[in-house]
Amino acid sequence: MDASIISRVAQETATPESSVAATVALLEKGATGPFIAHYRKEATGSLNEAKVRSIQERMTHYKEVWEQRAAFTKFLSEQGILTDELRARIENCFNKVELDDLHHQFRPRRKTRATEAIEKGLQPLAEYFWNQEPDAWSVEEHIDVFVDPARGISTREQALQAAVDIIAEWIYEDFDCRKVLREFLWNQGFVVSSVVPAKVGQKTKYNMYYERKESVTTIPSHRVLAIRRGCKEGILVSSIEGDSAKAVEYLLAQIIKEKGSIFAPILEAAARESYNRILRPLIETEVRTLLKERADREAIRVFQENLANLLLSPPAGPVMVMGIDWGKNGECSAAVVNEEGAFLEKAKIRLIPAPNAAEQKVAKESATSAPEAVLPAQPSALDAQALEPPPAEQTSEAQSQRPAETSSPISEPPPETSNPEPAPAVPATIPEAPDGVAGEQSFAGEAPDEAKAETLPVHENAVMSEALPAEPITAVNAAQAVPEAAERESDLRDQIQEGRKILRDLLAKYHIRAISIGTGIWARELENVLRQILSEQAWNDIMIASVNDAGIAIYASSRIAREEFPDWSASDRCAVSLARRLQDPLAELVKIDPKLIGVGQYQHDVDQKELHRGLLMTVQFCVNKVGVNINTAGESLLRYVSGLNEKLARRIIAVRKSHGPFRSRASLASMAGLDKTTYEQSAAFLRIPDGENPLDRTAIHPESYPLVEQMASALNVGINDLIGNKDLVASLRLEDFAAETAGIPTLSDIREELLRPGRDPRKAFKAPRFRPDVKEMADLKPGMTLEGTVTNVTNFGAFVDIGVKQDGLVHLSQMSNRFIRDPREAVKVGDVVQVKVISIELETKRIGLSMKALLPPVQRRRKRQLRRRPRPNAAASQSSAATEETAAGTSASSPSTPAGKNPDTGSRLKAGRSQEGYRRPQKAESRRPLNTEEARQQNEPAPKLPEPTLQEKIAILKSKFRGIS
């Protein structure tokens, strides 16, 4: 790769050029990013995963630019117009916009006003004005030569306008001028947005952009994308505005040789015509493109970070889990999986009454929509005066794909029931949990007292909340309505009782340790019922966890889900996925296209090719960071292992099924038929917990096994005795084992693995504690303290699920009691946080939250106020010596100075204050308490000083005005 590109990548990623060059060389040899970051630290200078990924992304971009440059050079060479100057210009282009700009000059020309003028024979007149060389003829005489009605030029004005059009296009075709004007607009331009006339006075999610002007260089990416989306939706109009006067002045300076010449007025008209009609729209479009490219990069980076945090969410571990998905008409799907995630049993159960008619309609619409039509929910944010508006997808896009609201978000219908009509809802048949905050549960601990509290039984004579279908009220149908309603109510109660019995039987049969539910709009009602059932049975060691169900509807309709559960409904598949997500979020989320998980901002507005490439890279880094158990991992997980792909993943699974589990990493190459390079790239990320070689369960690469054997031999112990023994590992001197292929960075990683073999880098699992008395937005009140889970992080804040069916927004200004520039400095996706409600907007469904309000105030040190002393002027120079002596004796002189001593006046001036007239801070020893003698001396009046001589006065002036001799 070109050294200039290596240099640019190093500058853009803030990485030494040697490290970039080494990384690029390894990538060109077929090494993957995770392999380079983990096992080639000596070559790269110990670059971390983020740096390696950044280098990969920028090199991919510049590789495309390199290919575009090569194609352009080939085109010019084939046309026979490639010159050394053109080649140099092409080689100096490092972005696609500049390259397209240069290429534009050699594309087939469309018909313009300039080409029409040239066809009419006006080019010589334009050249006359362009060359600015006067001759014996006057300007009028030159113009008259080209006035010819037969050509369509009847007047001098028409001839001049034709010449202006030709010169205007010549100015436009000047590549250097366009580049300077583009840089000028980029550096000094403004993004201006306003509301369309039809929307004036209307409140929309783009309110803060109705009248906004912001610098191109500083406008955040999310605002750029928000304005673009507002324009696309017909609410906003935007433009890039710059100083047109300066731009025209620059053009005039470039083309006019002498301002007062007879040619200047024509050239000035041509410059203004070129800028206003051709250049400005073109340059504005190019700046928009560059701005969009920058915004896309930032939005993709945000999506990558959120996706990585979601994939690396804490796993609950190998426990028996039941997943429950809210299905159609309140009927839930329950599925049980064992410790390894294998399916055991499923059932259809009803735990609470059916939702009301409006909720059924929402569920039905969501159920019948295609996955592509599932869009994010409306944002949850504060007023635009306080924070950035999150139009559309700045909310957690996971909300849009939560199948807890529907049994089938795709074309596959749910199984038919005996009663096709929706059962009417019964109000208050299931009592709410008592007031208070539901306590956090663990697998070994007990549930909090609130969960143990007794609840009221189902009321036998509950009144119907939903009216029957509208019919004319007569004596006959009124008499029939009562028994039908009573029959439906009785049937509903029977279904609920039967559903609860099935649930209790499943919990007891499989010794369930955790119940996993989603975060849909009915998740809180479901959680309250489950807590009631567990409390009735005194099952205090069963945890109820609400997991992030982003993209679960996509999984239910995917090929992987259909192949694993071919005859199941979408709701049943979702129930299994919910259970597995609690056990291991990473292993389950990799089954979904990362673009459809939806934890980004404006993900549908960015370059989809770049987004897909970046997200796949992120998934690969996350999978390899955790490691994969080769004997239990599925195809979806194995395909992301460094060096592997879908074909190799299927081959490994086929070998595993036919020959049994792999017993060692060494057998992998021979059994699965991996070549040397593939084995080198993948072996260390494939773990065998119970393998023949104890090192196979660690992240130590097989190429480093001899080093570990040397370490064990040096301590006269076996490898089994060395692994996990802190004392033995701590006694190793890494310098004794350093070799050409393994330096201190690699040896340090080996030591960490020996101390904690097969460690999981993810945090310990913790479930949020939602308040049982807060179920919807109407229950919120300002000042409430709640606990929730971070579902999405944007550049202006974080969205938090607090259990009210709508995420709240913690703005950047409300995240910390210290100054932070990036919300990711305080939180990341999946974090459980404490928040305080500061504002509620029911109309726009916006909830304002604060984390800062719950943090202790930071005590800031008060800045010391410096007193400014007036500077003596020349008129007061005669008395300055006495003044300075007094000041030195009372405040600025050292306590050790003998009383009555008259030191050098210039020295006293320097010690007393700086040249700017400020008193310098005293030293620490000068601020100690004064003893009796010092206090007496300080209280005595200052001795009368003698009148300074002329030489002393000159010395004082020299010290004040340095440089005067």
Side-chain angles (χ1 to χ4, degrees):
M1 187 60 70
D2 190 354
S4 59
I5 293 181
I6 296 291
S7 178
R8 293 182 70 89
V9 172
Q11 183 177 3
E12 292 175 4
T13 60
T15 308
E17 288 192 25
S18 58
S19 298
V20 174
T23 302
V24 172
L26 289 169
L27 290 171
E28 290 178 345
K29 292 179 180 178
T32 65
F35 176 79
I36 295 172
H38 286 274
Y39 302 108
R40 290 297 178 264
K41 292 186 175 181
E42 283 75 16
T44 64
S46 298
L47 294 183
N48 57 27
E49 295 179 352
K51 287 287 187 181
V52 173
R53 186 164 63 240
S54 298
I55 293 172
Q56 279 187 276
E57 292 170 351
R58 297 314 296 158
M59 287 305 302
T60 300
H61 168 77
Y62 283 118
K63 184 178 179 181
E64 293 178 354
V65 174
W66 180 276
E67 293 173 352
Q68 190 174 348
R69 280 163 44 173
F72 185 30
T73 303
K74 182 180 179 181
F75 166 77
L76 295 177
S77 178
E78 291 174 350
Q79 297 294 320
I81 54 178
L82 180 63
T83 63
D84 293 339
E85 181 182 358
L86 269 177
R87 187 187 297 276
R89 284 190 171 184
I90 294 172
E91 291 176 352
N92 288 327
C93 288
F94 292 98
N95 66 61
K96 298 177 182 178
V97 171
E98 289 187 3
L99 204 55
D100 286 339
D101 195 12
L102 185 59
H103 193 188
H104 182 78
Q105 301 181 29
F106 302 95
R107 291 172 182 166
R109 299 291 184 90
R110 59 184 179 87
K111 194 169 185 179
T112 62
R113 288 162 52 173
T115 57
E116 291 179 357
I118 292 174
E119 290 174 357
K120 293 177 182 180
L122 274 297
Q123 184 170 347
L125 180 60
E127 291 176 348
Y128 167 71
F129 286 107
W130 182 256
N131 295 328
Q132 305 174 56
E133 296 177 357
D135 52 21
W137 287 19
S138 66
V139 173
E140 291 76 8
E141 291 174 330
H142 274 282
I143 297 174
D144 290 339
V145 172
F146 298 93
V147 175
D148 184 359
R151 299 181 181 179
I153 307 297
S154 303
T155 63
R156 290 179 177 177
E157 288 74 16
Q158 291 179 348
L160 279 176
Q161 184 60 51
V164 166
D165 291 338
I166 295 173
I167 296 173
E169 186 156 315
W170 288 346
I171 296 173
Y172 151 73
E173 291 175 349
D174 190 322
F175 175 80
D176 294 329
C177 283
R178 289 203 307 272
K179 184 177 180 180
V180 171
L181 291 176
R182 181 172 55 247
E183 292 176 353
F184 174 75
L185 189 60
W186 176 265
N187 294 324
Q188 302 185 27
F190 294 89
V191 179
V192 180
S193 63
S194 58
V195 63
V196 297
K199 296 290 183 179
V200 173
Q202 298 183 20
K203 188 174 182 180
T204 69
K205 55 193 174 184
Y206 301 101
N207 274 12
M208 72 173 294
Y209 300 112
Y210 280 6
E211 296 296 334
R212 192 174 189 91
K213 183 177 181 180
E214 198 160 358
S215 172
V216 170
T217 57
T218 60
I219 184 170
S221 66
H222 61 272
R223 291 185 194 155
V224 174
L225 297 175
I227 292 173
R228 291 179 65 92
R229 179 176 291 182
C231 295
K232 188 184 299 183
E233 295 178 5
I235 299 176
L236 303 175
V237 290
S238 70
S239 61
I240 309 293
E241 294 184 0
D243 193 334
S244 299
K246 285 187 177 181
V248 173
E249 286 179 6
Y250 166 76
L251 292 177
L252 295 177
Q254 297 299 311
I255 63 175
I256 298 179
K257 298 179 180 178
E258 186 177 346
K259 289 185 178 181
S261 69
I262 57 176
F263 307 101
I266 304 300
L267 293 176
E268 181 176 350
R272 296 185 183 278
E273 174 76 11
S274 178
Y275 180 78
N276 293 323
R277 182 172 60 86
I278 310 175
L279 279 173
R280 187 170 65 180
L282 173 68
I283 293 171
E284 180 179 344
T285 301
E286 292 175 343
V287 170
R288 283 180 183 273
T289 301
L290 292 172
L291 197 57
K292 173 66 163 50
E293 182 181 331
R294 187 184 70 183
D296 283 0
R297 283 203 307 269
E298 177 63 16
I300 292 172
R301 184 188 65 82
V302 171
F303 199 156
Q304 286 179 301
E305 291 187 12
N306 290 341
L307 176 64
N309 292 328
L310 181 61
L311 293 175
L312 298 176
S313 298
V319 294
M320 195 76 70
V321 181
M322 174 188 288
I324 300 180
D325 175 67
W326 185 287
K328 189 176 181 180
N329 295 328
E331 188 179 45
C332 300
S333 297
V336 180
V337 298
N338 64 10
E339 290 85 348
E340 296 180 353
F343 166 73
L344 299 178
E345 187 174 346
K346 67 182 179 74
K348 291 286 186 181
I349 57 177
R350 181 182 294 280
L351 300 177
I352 60 178
N356 58 39
E359 290 174 332
Q360 290 182 36
K361 183 177 180 180
V362 173
K364 182 177 180 180
E365 290 175 357
S366 179
T368 56
S369 62
E372 293 77 11
V374 179
L375 295 177
Q378 288 298 320
S380 172
L382 280 176
D383 188 89
Q385 297 176 355
L387 22 116
E388 303 291 343
E393 294 169 46
Q394 289 184 9
T395 64
S396 175
E397 301 198 11
Q399 298 177 31
S400 65
Q401 299 166 0
R402 291 173 179 166
E405 305 129 36
T406 164
S407 61
S408 177
I410 53 168
S411 57
E412 181 179 353
E416 296 184 358
T417 59
S418 57
N419 184 10
E421 297 182 6
V426 180
T429 55
I430 304 302
E432 299 180 1
D435 294 340
V437 180
E440 180 184 347
Q441 300 180 13
S442 63
F443 294 120
E446 294 186 352
D449 294 337
E450 291 87 341
K452 301 177 184 178
E454 295 182 1
T455 54
L456 299 175
V458 178
H459 198 283
E460 294 295 333
N461 299 317
V463 182
M464 303 299 295
S465 64
E466 281 295 319
L468 295 175
E471 295 180 3
I473 301 177
T474 63
V476 177
N477 60 37
Q480 293 175 350
V482 175
E484 289 179 1
E487 182 180 352
R488 290 186 180 183
E489 180 183 351
S490 176
D491 181 59
L492 182 60
R493 288 197 300 270
D494 292 343
Q495 292 179 24
I496 292 175
Q497 291 176 2
E498 179 63 21
R500 294 188 175 195
K501 180 180 182 301
I502 295 174
L503 177 66
R504 288 192 295 268
D505 291 344
L506 289 174
L507 292 174
K509 178 180 179 181
Y510 293 104
H511 304 287
I512 302 298
R513 303 295 303 280
I515 300 176
S516 177
I517 60 176
T519 55
I521 61 174
W522 297 303
R524 295 305 307 280
E525 288 82 351
L526 180 59
E527 180 181 354
N528 290 334
V529 173
L530 292 173
R531 293 193 184 280
Q532 176 191 352
I533 295 173
L534 297 180
S535 177
E536 292 172 352
Q537 301 296 319
W539 287 334
N540 300 323
D541 59 343
I542 298 179
M543 180 183 66
I544 300 175
S546 180
V547 301
N548 191 318
D549 52 13
I552 199 168
I554 305 299
Y555 161 77
S557 62
S558 66
R559 173 186 61 83
I560 296 174
R562 292 196 304 269
E563 289 178 355
E564 189 173 5
F565 309 111
D567 300 324
W568 287 24
S569 68
S571 182
D572 291 338
R573 295 169 184 160
C574 289
V576 173
S577 182
L578 285 172
R580 291 172 173 172
R581 286 194 182 198
L582 180 63
Q583 293 177 325
D584 190 352
L586 177 62
E588 194 65 17
L589 287 170
V590 294
K591 298 177 181 178
I592 309 170
D593 185 342
K595 286 196 302 183
L596 303 178
I597 292 179
V599 289
Q601 60 180 24
Y602 301 100
Q603 66 186 68
H604 296 299
D605 297 320
V606 303
D607 188 323
Q608 295 300 296
K609 180 181 177 182
E610 293 293 332
L611 175 66
H612 181 70
R613 182 163 50 200
L615 295 183
L616 288 181
M617 192 183 303
T618 301
V619 176
Q620 185 184 40
F621 271 90
C622 290
V623 169
N624 289 280
K625 183 175 183 178
V626 175
V628 173
N629 186 337
I630 191 173
N631 289 324
T632 60
E635 175 189 334
S636 303
L637 198 59
L638 285 172
R639 64 179 176 172
Y640 287 109
V641 173
S642 171
L644 301 184
N645 52 34
E646 292 186 10
K647 182 179 179 181
L648 292 174
R650 287 194 294 268
R651 185 188 302 172
I652 290 174
I653 293 176
V655 172
R656 190 174 68 196
K657 289 180 179 179
S658 59
H659 296 83
F662 291 93
R663 302 305 305 165
S664 67
R665 283 172 172 167
S667 64
L668 177 64
S670 57
M671 295 178 63
L674 305 183
D675 58 38
K676 182 179 179 181
T677 302
T678 303
Y679 177 76
E680 179 188 50
Q681 296 291 313
S682 62
F685 301 107
L686 298 171
R687 315 287 168 76
I688 306 176
D690 54 351
E692 297 173 353
N693 190 329
L695 295 177
D696 286 350
R697 63 188 173 100
T698 70
I700 300 175
H701 198 282
E703 66 186 9
S704 298
Y705 284 5
L707 281 174
V708 181
E709 293 173 356
Q710 293 178 22
M711 293 177 181
S713 299
L715 298 174
N716 295 321
V717 297
I719 293 179
N720 279 321
D721 299 326
L722 180 60
I723 294 177
N725 192 317
K726 295 182 179 179
D727 295 333
L728 291 176
V729 174
S731 65
L732 291 170
R733 284 175 47 87
L734 299 184
E735 295 81 1
D736 297 339
F737 305 97
E740 183 178 348
T741 57
I744 297 299
T746 297
L747 293 171
S748 298
D749 290 343
I750 292 175
R751 179 171 58 188
E752 290 299 318
E753 278 298 317
L754 292 176
L755 287 172
R756 291 181 292 274
R759 70 187 186 278
D760 194 326
R762 295 172 289 186
K763 293 183 178 180
F765 178 81
K766 179 184 179 183
R769 300 174 295 179
F770 293 140
R771 284 181 58 157
D773 60 328
V774 178
K775 301 177 182 177
E776 53 189 22
M777 286 188 64
D779 298 330
L780 293 174
K781 294 180 177 59
M784 278 186 169
T785 299
L786 305 170
E787 188 170 89
T789 305
V790 177
T791 58
N792 196 4
V793 182
T794 65
N795 283 345
F796 56 84
F799 291 92
V800 180
D801 178 13
I802 54 176
V804 294
K805 309 173 186 177
Q806 180 70 33
D807 289 357
L809 175 64
V810 182
H811 188 256
L812 176 63
S813 62
Q814 295 293 328
M815 301 191 75
S816 177
N817 55 6
R818 61 181 179 86
F819 176 75
I820 58 174
R821 296 184 181 273
D822 191 336
R824 280 158 287 273
E825 296 179 31
V827 296
K828 63 178 182 295
V829 172
D831 283 354
V832 177
V833 295
Q834 296 280 340
V835 294
K836 183 177 182 179
V837 180
I838 58 176
S839 68
I840 307 159
E841 292 185 16
L842 295 176
E843 179 184 356
T844 56
K845 294 185 177 180
R846 293 183 175 182
I847 306 170
L849 305 174
S850 174
M851 294 166 54
K852 183 174 71 173
L854 301 177
L855 297 174
V858 177
Q859 295 184 355
R860 292 180 172 85
R861 296 179 58 186
R862 294 183 59 185
K863 293 183 178 180
R864 184 173 178 179
Q865 298 293 333
L866 299 177
R867 292 182 300 174
R868 186 180 182 92
R869 298 182 61 191
R871 276 187 171 181
N873 51 32
S877 60
Q878 293 183 356
S879 60
S880 60
T883 304
E884 289 300 325
E885 179 64 23
T886 303
T890 56
S891 60
S893 62
S894 171
S896 60
T897 303
K901 184 175 180 179
N902 184 17
D904 180 72
T905 309
S907 300
R908 291 198 307 271
L909 179 65
K910 296 178 184 179
R913 65 170 182 266
S914 64
Q915 293 182 16
E916 289 77 9
Y918 289 99
R919 183 181 298 279
R920 292 182 179 175
Q922 299 178 15
K923 295 183 179 180
E925 53 267 33
S926 67
R927 295 193 293 268
R928 62 177 175 80
L930 300 177
N931 56 34
T932 305
E933 179 64 20
E934 289 172 338
R936 184 186 62 78
Q937 292 178 2
Q938 198 172 65
N939 291 331
E940 290 180 354
K944 187 176 181 180
L945 299 177
E947 182 72 18
T949 63
L950 179 60
Q951 288 77 10
E952 289 176 338
K953 291 180 180 180
I954 294 174
I956 293 173
L957 291 175
K958 283 185 177 181
S959 66
K960 292 178 182 177
F961 305 101
R962 295 182 183 278
I964 299 178
S965 56

